[in-house]
Amino acid sequence: MKKYYYRAYPFVRLLIPILIGRLLSFYFLVSFYSIAIYALLFVFTLIFIGFKLEKQYNSRWISGLLINLTLLFCSWSNTDYNLTNHIQYDNLKEYSANVIDVYRSHDQSQTLEILTCEQSLKQNKYFKSLVYYKCNENQKLLMPGDQIVFCSSLQKVQVERNPYTFNYAEYLLSKHILGQFYLDSTSCKLIKSSWSVSKGFYLLRNWCKNKINSVITDEDASSVLIALMLGDKTFIDSDVKLDFSGSGLMHVISISGMHVGVIYMILLFLFSLLKVKGVQKFKLYFILAFLWFYTGLTGMSPSVFRSTIMFSILLIGQVKNKGSYNVYHSLAIAASIILVLSPEAFTNIGFWLSFLAVLSIVYFFPIFNAMLNFKKPWNRALWSLIALSLSAQIGTAPLVIYTFHYFPIWFLLSNLLIVPIVPFILLGGLIIILSPTGSIISVLVSGSIEELTVYMINIAKWINNLYLAKYAGLQLQFIELMMIYIALILFVIRNESKRIFFGITSIAVVLIFLIVNFVSTEFLDPKSAIIVHEIRKKSVVSFVNDESSFCFTNDSISTNIKERSIMPLWRHLKVSTFNLNKDSSSIILPVCFSGLNAIIINGNIDIDCIMSLHDNIDLIIVTNRVSNAIIDEIIYSFIDKKVVFDSSFSRKYSLQLSESYKDDELSLEFISLNGAYSVEL
């Protein structure tokens, strides 16, 4: 077997200091003096390279060290954290801003990303922020490149305060978005609307969306087709999105290398049909231009940008008559370019999943594919698809489990049923966009594509409802995640170098992982929990353990709220089945749960009826259906007990109650003020 050596991959070696620099930038802030230090390092690097020290064997390490230090420091200092010192929240000020991107536009409301500057500052200090904008019917919606002025107060993004949930505020901060504004047509004025490339792509993207919506009548099908073609998942129904997530099909409706690869193959096929002399000469240039055009149209997500760079390197190599193509070099070049142009991509889960999937496929697919050799083409194609899915999961499954706290067990079945039809849907979508509306070809193709898309939605829903669709039995801590990837790296090194040391080390890391996971599961992780969730204007209490789990509410709960705010805790405790107990009774009698007795008071009651239970109650949960007089009786009748006011109480009301009882030594908890309250047992 051909051996691979680390020194044979110079671009991979150069990527490592860039990644280390990005990692350091999140933990150690660098001042403006870093620019001067970086410049000196760069000059020294040029001097040493100019003197060709690499030709002197004993001095080669000096130039290599300087190059790596230069890349590391450049990556480290490629972030401006100093703007946060000038940010003031909740103060009414005048700002000027440029619209960078439009996240969502529906009817007369928009969600925008803007580059903002406070007008009162002598020096322009720009920072990114979100804007929730609503205009009247007589005004035009904003677009990328528009310049606006407005008077408003910058607000912090609200932190998700339910345990183990996705922290949207931290996610925005990783993208250097420092706050949010709420604007309307009276507080915002358009100063200048200038043309830009981003505006051109935005208008074209909207035209494509309108074209799809005009011929696809099913609302869910049109929104899924728009996501599959253009990467915009904004209008997909939350239940449909959860079905795709639970069935392991999110990569289908998230523009990725698979979509770019399919379009690449479609273009190659179309050019093969053209027998006109001279056309083939310009084939590669046209394909290259089209792929970059498509990348801009879809918003240049990390996965699309990565795959387009890789295909570009492949095509350029063909133009230059270079027979060799190294996928590892292409991946390293793509990652370096993305991190230089968009440093915040380092914390983007899509960035890591995209590169891990490709690396895993490139290495493990040939191994899996060679395990079985079928003579019939259909059997070979089926096994290749299975091998491809398994290969991708090896690299991405640990990160998926760590991030989302579950694993889609039926991913193989869903990929076998859906992935083969994706090329036909993409080809049909291209025909719909390019053909005249109302033409025979548009009508015929749109009907077939709508049926295929509806089929895809139904399959995703069916698989998501299968037993253990979202398996939560394995939870990973960060140290365990690192152990898995270290073991994988050691396995690859052992497989290529044939050195027993790396094989033994890989097995040792796996054993340590199993021990750490066992100790964490059996002795450190809580076995059960009672949690009063923070869900605005709702009463939601979870009682979770591995034997009997249920969730109390006195109101309806949407699927989106359940998945976003409740299920992360359940899955962390390795419980996948959601049992909802909707009860409007004034009192929910003591629930004895893992040795702790809790009572929920959901209306006006006679306190004397529960005073006999005083000694057996540990926790009292109160909803906003209880009057002030009864609240007062509860607090002073159970003065030595923990009383929790759930999130059905507004923040204003909670502040009033907190102020009323602040002088008394009481054990009170206000969910709307302090976030979710949990007791882990």
Side-chain angles (χ1 to χ4, degrees):
M1 181 181 290
K2 182 180 177 180
K3 291 186 178 181
Y4 293 88
Y5 299 96
Y6 176 67
R7 290 182 178 274
Y9 297 92
F11 289 106
V12 177
R13 293 161 60 189
L14 293 175
L15 175 62
I16 292 175
I18 295 176
L19 290 174
I20 295 174
R22 293 305 309 132
L23 181 63
L24 290 173
S25 68
F26 288 96
Y27 295 98
F28 304 98
L29 304 185
V30 288
S31 67
F32 288 110
Y33 294 107
S34 64
I35 305 299
I37 298 174
Y38 160 68
L40 288 174
L41 282 173
F42 185 72
V43 169
F44 276 118
T45 301
L46 290 179
I47 292 173
F48 276 106
I49 292 177
F51 279 111
K52 300 180 180 180
L53 286 176
E54 69 278 3
K55 291 185 177 181
Q56 302 175 18
Y57 185 79
N58 293 332
S59 304
R60 289 175 63 187
W61 66 272
I62 300 178
S63 59
L65 176 63
L66 286 172
I67 291 172
N68 280 275
L69 285 175
T70 301
L71 291 173
L72 185 148
F73 210 80
C74 178
S75 176
W76 187 357
S77 61
N78 190 22
T79 306
D80 190 358
Y81 292 94
N82 299 284
L83 292 176
T84 54
N85 298 329
H86 304 279
I87 301 299
Q88 293 184 355
Y89 295 96
D90 300 321
N91 288 331
L92 191 64
K93 295 179 179 293
E94 292 185 350
Y95 297 92
S96 60
N98 295 325
V99 179
I100 301 174
D101 196 7
V102 179
Y103 288 173
R104 181 185 177 92
S105 183
H106 184 62
D107 293 334
Q108 296 302 117
S109 61
Q110 290 180 299
T111 303
L112 311 166
E113 180 183 339
I114 62 174
L115 193 62
T116 318
C117 175
E118 185 182 333
Q119 290 187 334
S120 61
L121 294 178
K122 294 181 180 179
Q123 295 181 344
N124 291 335
K125 299 288 184 179
Y126 287 94
F127 62 93
K128 290 181 182 179
S129 58
L130 283 185
V131 166
Y132 298 95
Y133 176 67
K134 190 170 184 179
C135 63
N136 56 44
E137 296 180 356
N138 299 325
Q139 286 187 315
K140 293 182 179 180
L141 295 173
L142 298 175
M143 291 187 291
D146 288 353
Q147 298 179 19
I148 58 174
V149 293
F150 58 89
C151 183
S152 182
S153 59
L154 179 66
Q155 300 179 18
K156 291 184 178 180
V157 179
Q158 185 174 358
V159 178
E160 176 63 62
R161 298 189 293 184
N162 289 298
Y164 307 107
T165 54
F166 174 70
N167 194 322
Y168 185 59
E170 284 188 3
Y171 166 74
L172 291 179
L173 189 59
S174 71
K175 297 178 66 176
H176 302 165
I177 296 176
L178 304 182
Q180 58 190 6
F181 294 98
Y182 292 88
L183 305 178
D184 55 30
S185 55
T186 60
S187 59
C188 178
K189 182 180 179 182
L190 177 63
I191 298 298
K192 183 181 179 182
S193 183
S194 56
W195 179 260
S196 63
V197 175
S198 60
K199 177 177 286 189
F201 279 125
Y202 173 75
L203 293 172
L204 183 58
R205 192 158 51 242
N206 280 347
W207 180 84
C208 293
K209 292 177 188 177
N210 294 332
K211 190 74 176 292
I212 292 173
N213 285 326
S214 66
V215 296
I216 304 296
T217 56
D218 186 276
E219 187 175 339
D220 286 338
S222 65
S223 62
V224 168
L225 184 58
I226 288 172
L228 196 146
M229 293 293 301
L230 303 170
D232 186 354
K233 299 188 290 290
T234 304
F235 299 104
I236 298 181
D237 182 77
S238 59
D239 291 340
V240 174
K241 195 179 294 185
L242 290 171
D243 288 337
F244 275 87
S245 174
S247 57
L249 289 171
M250 277 302 289
H251 65 96
V252 172
I253 58 174
S254 302
I255 296 289
S256 63
M258 180 183 71
H259 299 72
V260 177
V262 168
I263 291 176
Y264 174 75
M265 297 304 296
I266 289 173
L267 292 174
L268 284 180
F269 172 74
L270 293 176
F271 270 102
S272 68
L273 298 177
L274 297 175
K275 304 299 182 181
V276 181
K277 188 177 180 180
V279 171
Q280 298 299 323
K281 183 178 180 181
F282 300 100
K283 175 182 68 174
L284 298 180
Y285 296 104
F286 178 83
I287 293 176
L288 186 62
F290 188 89
L291 289 180
W292 280 107
F293 175 80
Y294 181 70
T295 302
L297 185 64
T298 56
M300 285 197 173
S301 66
S303 57
V304 180
F305 197 42
R306 183 265 310 155
S307 56
T308 305
I309 291 174
M310 293 179 67
F311 278 113
S312 299
I313 295 171
L314 173 63
L315 290 170
I316 292 171
Q318 292 179 5
V319 171
K320 298 295 183 180
N321 295 319
K322 301 292 184 181
S324 61
Y325 171 74
N326 192 302
V327 66
Y328 298 107
H329 281 167
S330 300
L331 280 169
I333 293 170
S336 301
I337 293 174
I338 291 172
L339 290 173
V340 169
L341 297 179
S342 180
E344 63 270 14
F346 186 83
T347 57
N348 188 328
I349 185 67
F351 171 85
W352 290 104
L353 287 176
S354 173
F355 280 89
L356 286 171
V358 175
L359 278 171
S360 188
I361 289 171
V362 168
Y363 187 81
F364 289 104
F365 174 72
I367 298 175
F368 282 120
N369 201 38
M371 287 181 177
L372 297 176
N373 187 20
F374 295 97
K375 293 182 179 180
K376 294 183 179 180
W378 287 108
N379 291 338
R380 284 203 305 269
L382 179 63
W383 174 244
S384 294
L385 182 57
I386 293 173
L388 187 69
S389 299
L390 291 174
S391 302
Q393 291 299 329
I394 289 177
T396 59
L399 186 57
V400 167
I401 294 172
Y402 171 76
T403 305
F404 303 108
H405 307 293
Y406 69 86
F407 180 73
I409 288 292
W410 302 106
F411 74 92
L412 198 56
L413 176 62
S414 61
N415 279 271
L416 287 174
L417 295 175
I418 296 300
V419 171
I421 69 171
V422 170
F424 299 100
I425 296 177
L426 280 171
L427 178 59
L430 287 173
I431 294 173
I432 289 172
I433 291 173
L434 297 176
S435 61
T437 304
S439 63
I440 295 177
I441 188 172
S442 176
V443 173
L444 292 176
V445 172
S446 63
S448 301
I449 296 304
E450 183 169 346
E451 290 296 326
L452 284 176
T453 309
V454 170
Y455 159 80
M456 186 165 62
I457 294 171
N458 291 334
I459 290 294
K461 183 177 181 180
W462 171 64
I463 292 177
N464 188 42
N465 290 325
L466 292 177
Y467 178 67
L468 285 181
K470 293 181 176 180
Y471 178 68
L474 176 63
Q475 299 294 317
L476 297 177
Q477 305 298 326
F478 182 76
I479 184 65
E480 296 169 328
L481 177 70
M482 291 296 101
M483 285 182 182
I484 291 175
Y485 282 117
I486 290 171
L488 274 175
I489 293 170
L490 291 172
F491 168 80
V492 171
I493 296 174
R494 161 65 184 87
N495 198 41
E496 297 301 328
S497 67
K498 304 301 182 184
R499 295 177 61 180
I500 298 176
F501 169 78
F502 292 106
I504 295 174
T505 309
S506 176
I507 294 172
V509 172
V510 171
L511 290 175
I512 294 172
F513 160 74
L514 293 174
I515 294 171
V516 170
N517 187 264
F518 174 78
V519 172
S520 175
T521 302
E522 296 298 323
F523 301 105
L524 300 180
D525 291 346
K527 298 295 183 297
S528 59
I530 299 176
I531 178 168
V532 186
H533 296 277
E534 183 187 21
I535 300 174
R536 189 168 176 265
K537 296 183 179 180
K538 290 186 179 294
S539 300
V540 182
V541 185
S542 287
F543 300 84
V544 188
N545 65 21
D546 54 359
E547 295 179 357
S548 174
S549 301
F550 63 94
C551 179
F552 159 80
T553 182
N554 57 14
D555 199 356
S556 59
I557 298 177
S558 68
T559 306
N560 190 35
I561 288 177
K562 181 191 79 173
E563 287 292 328
R564 188 185 72 243
S565 302
I566 302 174
M567 288 307 296
L569 171 74
W570 286 51
R571 294 192 180 109
H572 179 77
L573 296 175
K574 302 180 181 180
V575 178
S576 300
T577 305
F578 184 73
N579 299 312
L580 182 64
N581 181 13
K582 186 177 179 181
D583 196 334
S584 298
S585 304
S586 296
I587 182 171
I588 312 300
L589 291 177
V591 178
C592 183
F593 192 81
S594 298
L596 188 144
N597 296 316
I599 188 171
I600 302 174
I601 301 179
N602 189 41
N604 293 325
I605 60 170
D606 186 354
I607 294 297
D608 294 334
C609 295
I610 60 171
M611 282 304 297
S612 59
L613 303 172
H614 180 278
D615 295 336
N616 297 320
I617 296 176
D618 302 302
L619 178 66
I620 301 170
I621 302 167
V622 183
T623 76
N624 70 340
R625 297 184 180 183
V626 181
S627 65
N628 284 342
I630 300 299
I631 288 175
D632 199 63
E633 288 188 43
I634 292 171
I635 288 175
Y636 289 110
S637 298
F638 295 88
I639 195 169
D640 57 335
K641 305 295 181 181
K642 186 73 172 183
V643 180
V644 179
F645 296 86
D646 69 17
S647 56
S648 62
F649 289 88
S650 67
R651 180 175 176 82
K652 182 179 179 180
Y653 192 10
S654 298
L655 283 170
Q656 292 175 352
L657 290 173
S658 176
E659 197 67 23
S660 300
Y661 298 108
K662 69 177 182 179
D663 295 330
D664 300 324
E665 295 183 1
L666 302 171
S667 182
L668 306 180
E669 191 74 28
F670 298 92
I671 304 301
S672 296
L673 299 180
N674 305 319
Y677 174 80
S678 63
V679 180
E680 296 182 343
L681 306 167

